[in-house]
Amino acid sequence: METTERKKVMLSGIQPSGDLHIGNYLGAIRNWGARSDDYDCYYFMADMHTITVRQNPAELRRRTLAQLAQYIACGLDPARNTLFIQSHVPAHAELGWVLNCYTMFGELSRMTQFKDKSQKNADNINGGLFTYPALMAADILLYQPDYVPVGEDQKQHVELTRDVAVRFNHVYGEVFKVPEPYIPKVGARVMMLSEPERKMSKSDPNGCVFLMEKPEDILRKFKRAVTDSETGRCVYYDPQRKPGVSNLMDIYAAVTGKNYEDIEREFEGRGYGVFKPAVGEAVVEYFRPIREEAARILADKAYLQSVYRAGAEKAAAIAARTLRKVYKKVGFVER
Ligand code: TRP
């Protein structure tokens, strides 16, 4: 089925800044594998973006490879998706510089992520943190994608990318395709086990279940999940009054395919002491194949290397075409 040329192009970057958790998977990644039926998909590990915040080098290297292995295990088939590491394709840095010169100080100053991150990293408000959106615009525009799937927090950066593309095209003609943000249909919205009012995130390791966690640790976290003190300790769905139980029901539904009525019936007359470990067990079993496959891939260094090298080679060829055009347009002498 070699019709990739006719498919619309989708591209997204993923920062290797933390370990993946079940909220990432059930909320989003779970649906990514199927996208390659309809789109020509590019995904890269955005390691160049990650160093805008100080990193431990060994950890960054480990996480970049671990995340790549996990994404493959989650269904991003390297035969059907172009998977690569940003720093392996120098055109990102090269176009990033050029686009820095077409992105305004005022625009960069308005980015809410810059404001947030400079508050959180007050001792390291570096130039890269500020010009990050110009690099992101380069990441995107190099591949002339139709769609850029991103979460809510990255929409402003995609809007800026569009503005920069339009501005550049206005001066030099149609160089860049102006991409659309693609807001994926949301999967399950998974909340913290420790604070069910907050979306699951790595900020509290006790409330967050990572994909690669050991089964006994996963079970322990579920057994300690915050519920409520309603007498009767009844399992029923009511996100307002029973956020903890409702979150556990959502997770259970996502991994078993059961609906709320099925679940309510299954645990009728049985307390949280039965319900919580049952959800934990179901999660352990659901993620077992992914966990094992990711571990297997990560241990197979030669395979992983062949994936990211092939990905970088394909990406570099496409990126080079756009970069050459840009260099010519702005007036650089051809080598
Ligand atoms: N900025 C994105 C994030 O923090 C990651 C990213 C970098 C990205 N380059 C991109 C996303 C290009 C989409 C397209 O999540």
Side-chain angles (χ1 to χ4, degrees):
M1 215 206 44
E2 270 311 299
T3 52
T4 31
E5 253 128 65
R6 327 202 59 185
K7 285 182 184 169
K8 298 246 182 196
V9 175
M10 201 176 254
L11 169 131
S12 197
I14 306 151
Q15 283 208 53
S17 54
D19 292 314
L20 297 180
H21 55 72
I22 65 169
N24 298 137
Y25 182 83
L26 297 173
I29 303 167
R30 168 147 85 159
N31 300 319
W32 292 7
R35 283 179 187 165
S36 53
D37 294 343
D38 302 316
Y39 302 98
D40 187 11
C41 296
Y42 294 77
Y43 298 97
F44 62 92
M45 301 295 129
D47 54 352
M48 293 167 70
H49 279 90
T50 303
I51 63 161
T52 55
V53 172
R54 195 70 72 233
Q55 300 292 320
N56 171 311
E59 263 298 289
L60 176 58
R61 194 171 293 118
R62 180 195 71 75
R63 258 194 265 108
T64 303
L65 295 173
Q67 282 206 5
L68 181 59
Q70 287 169 42
Y71 280 102
I72 298 169
C74 286
L76 288 187
D77 177 357
R80 310 188 68 214
N81 297 273
T82 304
L83 308 177
F84 66 100
I85 297 171
Q86 185 183 26
S87 61
H88 290 182
V89 182
H92 289 247
E94 294 168 315
L95 183 62
W97 173 255
V98 174
L99 295 185
N100 253 312
C101 304
Y102 295 81
T103 308
M104 298 301 132
F105 183 87
E107 288 176 314
L108 294 169
S109 309
R110 284 194 290 277
M111 294 295 114
T112 55
Q113 191 176 61
F114 171 69
K115 294 184 207 165
D116 283 0
K117 286 202 175 177
S118 38
Q119 252 171 30
K120 285 189 197 137
N121 304 281
D123 55 342
N124 184 23
I125 307 178
N126 60 73
L129 194 65
F130 187 63
T131 60
Y132 171 121
L135 177 61
M136 180 159 161
D139 297 339
I140 295 170
L141 299 176
L142 279 174
Y143 300 92
Q144 312 278 358
D146 298 277
Y147 299 109
V148 182
V150 285
E152 215 32 66
D153 66 319
Q154 294 297 320
K155 255 170 71 182
Q156 198 184 25
H157 292 158
V158 179
E159 294 301 334
L160 179 60
T161 298
R162 289 167 54 87
D163 293 344
V164 171
V166 168
R167 177 176 303 141
F168 195 94
N169 288 350
H170 190 71
V171 181
Y172 301 104
E174 293 302 300
V175 176
F176 297 125
K177 172 169 269 171
V178 182
E180 303 279 340
Y182 172 92
I183 306 303
K185 65 171 192 295
V186 273
R189 193 173 143 77
V190 178
M191 315 302 275
M192 283 295 203
L193 300 187
S194 50
E195 272 173 279
E197 296 79 15
R198 282 179 50 209
K199 213 174 134 195
M200 187 174 278
S201 83
K202 60 183 191 290
S203 64
D204 174 12
N206 289 316
C208 179
V209 177
F210 297 98
L211 288 194
M212 299 308 283
E213 249 177 308
K214 293 205 279 294
E216 58 267 33
D217 294 335
I218 297 179
L219 265 182
R220 180 177 42 81
K221 288 184 181 179
F222 275 97
K223 283 183 186 159
R224 291 189 192 159
V226 168
T227 47
D228 53 68
S229 50
E230 190 185 61
T231 45
R233 296 163 76 78
C234 222
V235 176
Y236 63 90
Y237 198 77
D238 185 344
Q240 294 305 313
R241 294 178 40 230
K242 296 166 75 73
V245 168
S246 303
N247 182 41
L248 292 172
M249 286 180 73
D250 277 326
I251 295 171
Y252 194 64
V255 300
T256 61
K258 294 174 183 172
N259 62 29
Y260 299 144
E261 291 97 90
D262 294 337
I263 300 169
E264 285 165 8
R265 214 171 306 116
E266 183 176 349
F267 294 98
E268 204 177 316
R270 304 164 88 183
Y272 299 160
V274 175
F275 176 55
K276 293 199 287 186
V279 180
E281 300 276 5
V283 166
V284 166
E285 288 318 313
Y286 181 86
F287 285 101
R288 186 184 298 280
I290 293 178
R291 189 166 58 244
E292 291 178 355
E293 177 69 355
R296 193 190 64 71
I297 293 169
L298 190 58
D300 190 348
K301 295 281 179 257
Y303 169 74
L304 206 52
Q305 193 175 67
S306 72
V307 168
Y308 63 67
R309 282 188 176 166
E313 198 175 322
K314 181 172 172 205
I318 293 164
R321 280 208 294 270
T322 306
L323 186 68
R324 205 178 309 126
K325 213 188 227 178
V326 168
Y327 272 17
K328 200 168 166 186
K329 292 287 188 186
V330 300
F332 291 168
V333 173
E334 225 177 325
R335 193 161 66 178

